[in-house]
Amino acid sequence: MKAVGILALLGCLVTAMESKVYTRCKLAKIFLRAGLDNYWGFALGNWICMAYYESHYNTSAQKMLKDGSVDYGIFQINSYTWCRSKRLQDKNHCHVACSALITDDLTDAILCAKKIVKETEGMNYWEGWKKHCEGKELSEWKKGCEVS
Ligand SMILES: *[C@@H]1O[C@H](CO)[C@@H](O)[C@H](O)[C@H]1NC(C)=O
């Protein structure tokens, strides 16, 4: 009986820490509603493709870089320039806590991504986009999603 209780408790803990991974089409709809389609001239497919290669649609994805900064969330936005973590030198151009970029609610992450595109004049910020999405035929990414 004891073992069962412990297992149940562990199960609860694991569930609580579970991260949200969006499906491609759910994301496509959220992006469309948020005005990302053709934002700064980048069609919807660019955003879906980019998010896939940056985070595999995992909202809680985090990656520590060699310089000690961290890439956060679905768009892997870096703490050094764009959000506020505990480090004092962070520039926080998006005026947002980095922790707000790893929630299921994508509002802050999308606002920040828009700012990055605007301030850096394009999507070159994202290595995953440059490598896998730039200049490619991207309509496949929104195929079957009822967003066109
Ligand atoms: C999503 O990212 C978090 C944090 O890196 C990780 O713990 C989790 O396993 C990931 N989820 C999936 C389904 O890959």
Side-chain angles (χ1 to χ4, degrees):
M1 281 313 271
K2 222 179 209 169
V4 172
I6 289 167
L7 278 180
L9 182 64
L10 277 177
C12 287
L13 289 175
V14 168
T15 309
M17 293 188 317
E18 212 167 25
S19 50
K20 172 114 181 164
V21 178
Y22 277 100
T23 64
R24 180 175 59 85
C25 284
K26 177 71 185 164
L27 212 51
K29 282 174 190 163
I30 292 171
F31 286 179
L32 184 71
R33 237 179 287 134
L36 283 181
D37 192 17
N38 287 322
Y39 184 81
W40 209 260
F42 292 99
L44 197 57
N46 286 281
W47 298 93
I48 308 168
C49 181
M50 179 270 273
Y52 177 78
Y53 286 108
E54 292 294 335
S55 67
H56 289 262
Y57 307 149
N58 185 346
T59 57
S60 48
Q62 289 182 47
K63 188 169 154 233
M64 170 90 81
L65 305 188
K66 284 200 193 85
D67 65 2
S69 66
V70 178
D71 285 345
Y72 286 94
I74 202 149
F75 301 130
Q76 289 291 282
I77 292 173
N78 188 258
S79 63
Y80 182 71
T81 307
W82 302 101
C83 59
R84 182 180 68 251
S85 64
K86 290 196 187 90
R87 298 167 4 128
L88 293 173
Q89 72 269 39
D90 291 349
K91 299 181 176 54
N92 191 15
H93 282 199
C94 285
H95 304 290
V96 70
C98 295
S99 58
L101 302 178
I102 50 172
T103 61
D104 298 353
D105 183 338
L106 300 179
T107 310
D108 287 328
I110 290 172
L111 278 175
C112 191
K114 283 181 172 175
K115 196 169 173 74
I116 291 172
V117 166
K118 212 160 141 185
E119 289 194 4
T120 67
E121 302 189 336
M123 292 183 75
N124 286 315
Y125 175 77
W126 291 285
E127 289 296 328
W129 177 80
K130 274 200 291 188
K131 219 161 144 186
H132 303 282
C133 316
E134 185 179 18
K136 302 258 162 69
E137 167 54 43
L138 297 174
S139 58
E140 285 285 317
W141 287 91
K142 56 176 189 172
K143 206 171 185 174
C145 297
E146 297 165 15
V147 288
S148 43

